[in-house]
Amino acid sequence: LKSVFLEAIKNVPSTKDRSKSYYEFLKEYYKNDETPVDNIEDKINILGSGSDHAPFAYYAGVPSLDYFFDIDKQKYPESTGGYPTYHTGYETFFLMDHLLDPGFKLHKTCSQISLHMILQLAESAILPYQPLDIVKELGKAFDTMEKENVTKTLRDNGAGAAFDLMKESFDGFKLAVDRWTEKRNNIKKNDALGDPISQRIFNDQIMLLERTFLLPQGLPGRDNYRHALFSPAKFNSYAGAAFPGLSDLLHGVSKLNGEEKVLRFKEVRKHLSDLMIVFRQSSSWLSDEIEI
Protein backbone atom coordinates (compact mmCIF):
# COMPACT_ATOMS: atom_id res chain seq x y z
CA LEU A 1 0.00 0.00 0.00
CA LYS A 2 3.02 2.32 0.03
CA SER A 3 2.28 3.65 -3.46
CA VAL A 4 -1.38 4.24 -2.54
CA PHE A 5 -0.33 6.35 0.45
CA LEU A 6 2.24 8.31 -1.58
CA GLU A 7 -0.32 9.07 -4.28
CA ALA A 8 -2.74 10.31 -1.61
CA ILE A 9 -0.31 12.77 0.00
CA LYS A 10 0.57 14.11 -3.46
CA ASN A 11 -3.07 15.16 -3.84
CA VAL A 12 -3.77 16.55 -0.38
CA PRO A 13 -2.72 20.14 0.50
CA SER A 14 -0.26 20.75 3.32
CA THR A 15 -1.54 22.26 6.56
CA LYS A 16 1.46 24.63 6.56
CA ASP A 17 1.09 25.94 3.01
CA ARG A 18 -2.04 25.00 1.06
CA SER A 19 -0.38 25.94 -2.23
CA LYS A 20 1.83 22.84 -1.78
CA SER A 21 0.88 19.20 -1.43
CA TYR A 22 1.70 17.30 1.73
CA TYR A 23 4.19 15.30 -0.35
CA GLU A 24 6.05 18.52 -1.30
CA PHE A 25 5.99 19.70 2.31
CA LEU A 26 7.44 16.41 3.61
CA LYS A 27 10.12 16.36 0.92
CA GLU A 28 11.42 19.73 2.12
CA TYR A 29 10.93 18.81 5.78
CA TYR A 30 12.94 15.58 5.58
CA LYS A 31 15.90 17.36 3.97
CA ASN A 32 16.45 19.06 7.36
CA ASP A 33 15.76 15.93 9.38
CA GLU A 34 18.21 14.28 11.78
CA THR A 35 18.60 11.56 9.15
CA PRO A 36 17.96 13.46 5.89
CA VAL A 37 16.59 11.61 2.86
CA ASP A 38 15.82 12.62 -0.72
CA ASN A 39 12.98 10.16 -1.12
CA ILE A 40 9.97 10.18 1.19
CA GLU A 41 9.63 6.46 0.45
CA ASP A 42 12.69 5.87 2.65
CA LYS A 43 10.78 7.22 5.65
CA ILE A 44 7.94 4.70 5.28
CA ASN A 45 8.81 1.78 7.51
CA ILE A 46 7.65 -1.81 7.73
CA LEU A 47 4.32 -1.90 9.53
CA GLY A 48 4.61 -2.54 13.27
CA SER A 49 2.02 -3.66 15.80
CA GLY A 50 0.40 -1.94 18.76
CA SER A 51 -2.92 -1.13 17.10
CA ASP A 52 -6.10 -2.69 15.69
CA HIS A 53 -4.58 -3.50 12.31
CA ALA A 54 -2.30 -6.20 13.78
CA PRO A 55 -4.58 -9.28 13.44
CA PHE A 56 -5.60 -8.27 9.92
CA ALA A 57 -2.02 -7.79 8.73
CA TYR A 58 -0.19 -10.56 10.59
CA TYR A 59 -2.79 -13.27 11.06
CA ALA A 60 -5.20 -12.85 8.13
CA GLY A 61 -2.76 -11.48 5.52
CA VAL A 62 -4.80 -8.37 4.71
CA PRO A 63 -2.69 -5.45 3.34
CA SER A 64 -2.71 -2.74 6.01
CA LEU A 65 -1.10 0.57 6.89
CA ASP A 66 -0.85 2.80 9.93
CA TYR A 67 -0.18 6.53 9.65
CA PHE A 68 -0.44 9.42 12.07
CA PHE A 69 0.77 12.97 12.68
CA ASP A 70 3.70 12.81 15.09
CA ILE A 71 5.48 15.40 17.24
CA ASP A 72 7.63 17.79 15.18
CA LYS A 73 11.10 16.58 16.24
CA GLN A 74 12.79 19.50 14.48
CA LYS A 75 10.76 21.93 16.59
CA TYR A 76 10.78 19.82 19.77
CA PRO A 77 13.98 17.70 19.56
CA GLU A 78 13.79 16.62 23.21
CA SER A 79 10.35 15.05 22.83
CA THR A 80 10.39 11.29 23.40
CA GLY A 81 6.72 10.41 23.06
CA GLY A 82 3.23 11.72 22.46
CA TYR A 83 1.59 14.65 24.22
CA PRO A 84 1.31 14.18 28.02
CA THR A 85 -2.51 14.15 28.15
CA TYR A 86 -2.77 11.19 25.73
CA HIS A 87 -5.26 8.58 27.01
CA THR A 88 -6.13 10.62 30.09
CA GLY A 89 -9.29 12.33 31.26
CA TYR A 90 -7.73 15.66 30.28
CA GLU A 91 -7.82 14.80 26.59
CA THR A 92 -10.90 16.90 25.86
CA PHE A 93 -12.52 18.59 22.88
CA PHE A 94 -11.40 21.97 24.25
CA LEU A 95 -7.77 20.82 24.47
CA MET A 96 -7.83 19.55 20.89
CA ASP A 97 -9.59 22.59 19.45
CA HIS A 98 -7.56 25.25 21.29
CA LEU A 99 -4.10 23.74 21.79
CA LEU A 100 -3.32 20.55 19.91
CA ASP A 101 -5.05 21.13 16.57
CA PRO A 102 -6.74 24.55 16.40
CA GLY A 103 -9.39 24.51 13.71
CA PHE A 104 -8.92 20.74 13.33
CA LYS A 105 -6.61 21.28 10.36
CA LEU A 106 -4.63 18.09 10.93
CA HIS A 107 -7.85 16.14 11.43
CA LYS A 108 -9.10 17.44 8.10
CA THR A 109 -5.85 16.49 6.33
CA CYS A 110 -5.91 13.05 7.92
CA SER A 111 -9.48 12.49 6.67
CA GLN A 112 -8.56 13.70 3.18
CA ILE A 113 -5.61 11.28 2.99
CA SER A 114 -7.82 8.39 4.12
CA LEU A 115 -10.56 9.27 1.63
CA HIS A 116 -8.09 9.59 -1.23
CA MET A 117 -6.68 6.12 -0.50
CA ILE A 118 -10.18 4.66 -0.29
CA LEU A 119 -11.12 6.24 -3.61
CA GLN A 120 -7.99 4.85 -5.27
CA LEU A 121 -8.81 1.34 -4.08
CA ALA A 122 -12.53 1.58 -4.82
CA GLU A 123 -12.46 3.27 -8.23
CA SER A 124 -9.37 1.80 -9.92
CA ALA A 125 -10.15 -0.81 -12.57
CA ILE A 126 -6.88 -2.48 -11.56
CA LEU A 127 -5.99 -2.34 -7.87
CA PRO A 128 -3.04 0.04 -7.37
CA TYR A 129 -0.98 -2.32 -5.22
CA GLN A 130 2.75 -2.46 -5.96
CA PRO A 131 4.31 -5.88 -5.20
CA LEU A 132 7.67 -4.43 -6.27
CA ASP A 133 7.73 -2.61 -2.92
CA ILE A 134 7.69 -6.00 -1.18
CA VAL A 135 10.64 -7.16 -3.29
CA LYS A 136 12.59 -3.96 -2.55
CA GLU A 137 12.05 -4.28 1.21
CA LEU A 138 13.12 -7.94 1.19
CA GLY A 139 16.14 -7.02 -0.91
CA LYS A 140 17.18 -4.58 1.83
CA ALA A 141 16.77 -7.37 4.39
CA PHE A 142 19.08 -9.68 2.41
CA ASP A 143 21.67 -6.87 2.17
CA THR A 144 21.47 -6.32 5.92
CA MET A 145 21.93 -10.04 6.59
CA GLU A 146 25.07 -10.02 4.49
CA LYS A 147 26.39 -6.83 6.09
CA GLU A 148 25.78 -8.09 9.64
CA ASN A 149 27.31 -11.52 8.94
CA VAL A 150 24.01 -13.36 9.41
CA THR A 151 24.63 -15.41 6.27
CA LYS A 152 28.10 -16.34 7.58
CA THR A 153 26.55 -17.46 10.88
CA LEU A 154 24.09 -19.64 8.97
CA ARG A 155 26.83 -21.22 6.84
CA ASP A 156 29.08 -21.80 9.84
CA ASN A 157 26.29 -23.70 11.58
CA GLY A 158 25.07 -25.96 8.79
CA ALA A 159 22.19 -23.83 7.49
CA GLY A 160 23.96 -22.45 4.41
CA ALA A 161 22.38 -24.85 1.91
CA ALA A 162 18.88 -24.14 3.28
CA PHE A 163 19.53 -20.39 3.05
CA ASP A 164 20.74 -20.69 -0.56
CA LEU A 165 17.58 -22.59 -1.55
CA MET A 166 15.44 -19.96 0.15
CA LYS A 167 17.32 -17.16 -1.63
CA GLU A 168 16.94 -18.97 -4.95
CA SER A 169 13.20 -19.23 -4.28
CA PHE A 170 13.09 -15.49 -3.53
CA ASP A 171 14.81 -14.77 -6.86
CA GLY A 172 12.02 -16.75 -8.54
CA PHE A 173 9.43 -14.67 -6.68
CA LYS A 174 11.19 -11.48 -7.75
CA LEU A 175 11.02 -12.62 -11.38
CA ALA A 176 7.30 -13.45 -11.01
CA VAL A 177 6.66 -9.96 -9.59
CA ASP A 178 8.56 -8.36 -12.50
CA ARG A 179 6.49 -10.33 -15.02
CA TRP A 180 3.21 -9.53 -13.25
CA THR A 181 4.12 -5.81 -13.07
CA GLU A 182 5.03 -5.74 -16.76
CA LYS A 183 1.72 -7.39 -17.63
CA ARG A 184 -0.17 -4.89 -15.46
CA ASN A 185 1.61 -1.95 -17.11
CA ASN A 186 0.84 -3.28 -20.60
CA ILE A 187 -2.83 -3.75 -19.72
CA LYS A 188 -3.07 -0.17 -18.43
CA LYS A 189 -1.13 1.24 -21.39
CA ASN A 190 -3.18 -0.54 -24.04
CA ASP A 191 -6.47 -0.46 -22.13
CA ALA A 192 -6.60 -4.21 -22.65
CA LEU A 193 -8.46 -5.24 -19.53
CA GLY A 194 -10.70 -7.65 -21.41
CA ASP A 195 -13.80 -9.18 -19.87
CA PRO A 196 -14.94 -8.69 -16.22
CA ILE A 197 -13.85 -12.22 -15.28
CA SER A 198 -10.28 -11.57 -16.41
CA GLN A 199 -10.32 -8.29 -14.50
CA ARG A 200 -11.52 -10.08 -11.36
CA ILE A 201 -8.83 -12.76 -11.68
CA PHE A 202 -6.10 -10.16 -12.16
CA ASN A 203 -7.24 -8.09 -9.16
CA ASP A 204 -7.65 -11.18 -6.97
CA GLN A 205 -4.06 -12.13 -7.71
CA ILE A 206 -2.70 -8.94 -6.18
CA MET A 207 -5.40 -8.45 -3.54
CA LEU A 208 -4.82 -11.90 -2.03
CA LEU A 209 -1.06 -12.10 -2.58
CA GLU A 210 -0.18 -11.49 1.07
CA ARG A 211 -2.19 -14.53 2.14
CA THR A 212 0.39 -16.68 0.36
CA PHE A 213 2.93 -15.35 2.88
CA LEU A 214 1.09 -16.89 5.83
CA LEU A 215 2.41 -19.88 7.76
CA PRO A 216 -0.54 -22.02 8.99
CA GLN A 217 1.36 -22.93 12.17
CA GLY A 218 2.52 -19.35 12.75
CA LEU A 219 6.04 -18.07 13.32
CA PRO A 220 8.37 -20.18 15.48
CA GLY A 221 7.14 -19.81 19.05
CA ARG A 222 4.50 -17.24 18.07
CA ASP A 223 1.37 -18.85 16.63
CA ASN A 224 -0.57 -15.55 16.83
CA TYR A 225 1.66 -14.13 14.07
CA ARG A 226 1.49 -15.97 10.74
CA HIS A 227 3.03 -13.52 8.24
CA ALA A 228 6.39 -15.07 7.34
CA LEU A 229 7.90 -12.04 5.62
CA PHE A 230 6.82 -9.02 7.68
CA SER A 231 5.67 -9.16 11.30
CA PRO A 232 6.41 -7.27 14.51
CA ALA A 233 9.78 -7.95 16.06
CA LYS A 234 9.53 -10.38 18.99
CA PHE A 235 11.42 -8.06 21.31
CA ASN A 236 9.75 -4.84 20.10
CA SER A 237 6.18 -5.39 19.00
CA TYR A 238 5.79 -1.75 17.91
CA ALA A 239 8.45 -2.19 15.20
CA GLY A 240 8.06 -4.31 12.10
CA ALA A 241 10.77 -6.64 10.83
CA ALA A 242 11.56 -8.50 7.61
CA PHE A 243 12.03 -12.26 8.06
CA PRO A 244 10.86 -12.02 11.70
CA GLY A 245 10.98 -15.78 12.33
CA LEU A 246 14.61 -15.98 11.29
CA SER A 247 15.44 -12.95 13.42
CA ASP A 248 13.71 -14.52 16.44
CA LEU A 249 15.53 -17.85 16.07
CA LEU A 250 18.94 -16.22 15.75
CA HIS A 251 18.43 -13.90 18.73
CA GLY A 252 20.94 -14.83 21.44
CA VAL A 253 22.10 -17.90 19.52
CA SER A 254 25.76 -17.19 20.29
CA LYS A 255 25.06 -17.71 24.01
CA LEU A 256 23.67 -21.24 23.56
CA ASN A 257 25.69 -24.31 24.53
CA GLY A 258 26.53 -27.12 22.10
CA GLU A 259 23.34 -29.21 22.20
CA GLU A 260 21.01 -26.21 22.46
CA LYS A 261 22.76 -24.61 19.49
CA VAL A 262 22.38 -27.75 17.37
CA LEU A 263 18.66 -27.91 18.14
CA ARG A 264 18.21 -24.18 17.45
CA PHE A 265 19.83 -24.43 14.00
CA LYS A 266 17.64 -27.42 13.24
CA GLU A 267 14.70 -25.04 13.80
CA VAL A 268 16.45 -22.44 11.63
CA ARG A 269 16.79 -24.92 8.73
CA LYS A 270 13.12 -25.86 9.10
CA HIS A 271 12.08 -22.19 9.01
CA LEU A 272 14.28 -21.48 5.97
CA SER A 273 12.52 -24.38 4.25
CA ASP A 274 9.14 -22.82 5.16
CA LEU A 275 10.28 -19.50 3.65
CA MET A 276 11.37 -21.29 0.48
CA ILE A 277 7.90 -22.82 0.16
CA VAL A 278 6.27 -19.44 0.81
CA PHE A 279 8.21 -17.81 -2.03
CA ARG A 280 7.43 -20.69 -4.39
CA GLN A 281 3.71 -20.57 -3.72
CA SER A 282 3.74 -16.77 -4.05
CA SER A 283 5.47 -17.06 -7.43
CA SER A 284 2.91 -19.63 -8.52
CA TRP A 285 0.05 -17.40 -7.35
CA LEU A 286 1.22 -14.52 -9.57
CA SER A 287 1.80 -16.79 -12.55
CA ASP A 288 -0.66 -17.40 -15.39
CA GLU A 289 0.41 -21.02 -15.48
CA ILE A 290 -0.84 -23.74 -13.16
CA GLU A 291 2.11 -24.90 -11.09
CA ILE A 292 2.17 -27.70 -8.54
Side-chain angles (χ1 to χ4, degrees):
L1 287 170
K2 182 186 288 188
S3 60
V4 178
F5 174 75
L6 289 170
E7 186 63 25
I9 62 175
K10 287 177 182 177
N11 288 276
V12 171
S14 163
T15 53
K16 296 283 187 181
D17 180 357
R18 297 192 65 80
S19 67
K20 295 181 180 180
S21 70
Y22 219 87
Y23 182 90
E24 291 170 319
F25 161 73
L26 287 176
K27 199 161 188 177
E28 291 179 13
Y29 179 86
Y30 284 136
K31 285 181 180 177
N32 301 315
D33 203 32
E34 189 177 340
T35 52
V37 295
D38 291 325
N39 297 316
I40 293 176
E41 292 87 335
D42 295 334
K43 285 289 185 179
I44 302 176
N45 300 318
I46 297 173
L47 188 66
S49 184
S51 195
D52 299 339
H53 63 263
F56 292 96
Y58 308 124
Y59 195 84
V62 177
S64 307
L65 58 81
D66 180 28
Y67 74 96
F68 50 90
F69 291 90
D70 206 354
I71 300 292
D72 186 344
K73 295 295 176 69
Q74 294 178 16
K75 190 174 182 180
Y76 305 105
E78 302 301 320
S79 174
T80 56
Y83 52 93
T85 56
Y86 182 58
H87 280 185
T88 72
Y90 297 99
E91 190 178 31
T92 63
F93 184 91
F94 179 89
L95 177 74
M96 188 63 65
D97 188 28
H98 287 77
L99 295 176
L100 297 181
D101 187 17
F104 291 89
K105 294 178 181 178
L106 288 176
H107 280 72
K108 177 182 177 181
T109 302
C110 189
S111 299
Q112 288 175 321
I113 292 172
S114 295
L115 286 169
H116 199 284
M117 289 191 288
I118 290 169
L119 284 171
Q120 286 183 70
L121 295 170
E123 296 192 342
S124 298
I126 298 175
L127 288 172
Y129 292 165
Q130 292 284 3
L132 278 173
D133 289 331
I134 296 174
V135 171
K136 289 176 185 176
E137 207 62 52
L138 292 173
K140 292 179 191 175
F142 279 114
D143 291 342
T144 300
M145 281 192 265
E146 193 67 41
K147 193 182 300 182
E148 296 182 356
N149 293 322
V150 173
T151 50
K152 183 179 184 302
T153 300
L154 294 171
R155 296 188 193 286
D156 289 347
N157 291 275
F163 176 80
D164 290 339
L165 286 171
M166 186 271 282
K167 180 64 166 61
E168 182 182 318
S169 187
F170 166 72
D171 291 338
F173 171 65
K174 182 179 178 182
L175 183 61
V177 167
D178 288 341
R179 287 173 176 167
W180 186 92
T181 302
E182 183 180 3
K183 180 181 177 182
R184 191 269 313 276
N185 291 342
N186 287 335
I187 288 174
K188 291 177 73 172
K189 181 180 178 181
N190 301 317
D191 196 23
L193 205 54
D195 60 280
I197 299 300
S198 298
Q199 178 186 6
R200 174 64 184 270
I201 291 171
F202 197 73
N203 280 329
D204 279 355
Q205 273 186 313
I206 192 60
M207 182 176 68
L208 303 176
L209 174 64
E210 291 216 30
R211 296 190 189 180
T212 67
F213 303 150
L214 301 180
L215 297 175
Q217 75 277 17
L219 294 177
R222 293 197 288 162
D223 56 10
N224 55 326
Y225 291 102
R226 302 197 301 164
H227 203 298
L229 304 186
F230 304 109
S231 282
K234 185 176 183 179
F235 303 98
N236 179 9
S237 64
Y238 283 91
F243 299 121
L246 189 58
S247 176
D248 291 349
L249 289 169
L250 292 176
H251 182 80
V253 73
S254 60
K255 299 177 183 178
L256 299 178
N257 61 37
E259 185 61 27
E260 288 178 322
K261 203 168 189 178
V262 169
L263 291 174
R264 178 65 63 84
F265 275 97
K266 184 177 180 181
E267 290 184 76
V268 168
R269 290 194 298 274
K270 165 70 167 59
H271 186 63
L272 288 170
S273 175
D274 289 339
L275 290 173
M276 176 192 70
I277 293 168
V278 162
F279 283 130
R280 286 186 178 179
Q281 65 189 19
S282 302
S283 302
S284 178
W285 177 255
L286 289 178
S287 174
D288 289 332
E289 301 171 5
I290 297 175
E291 299 178 8
I292 303 298

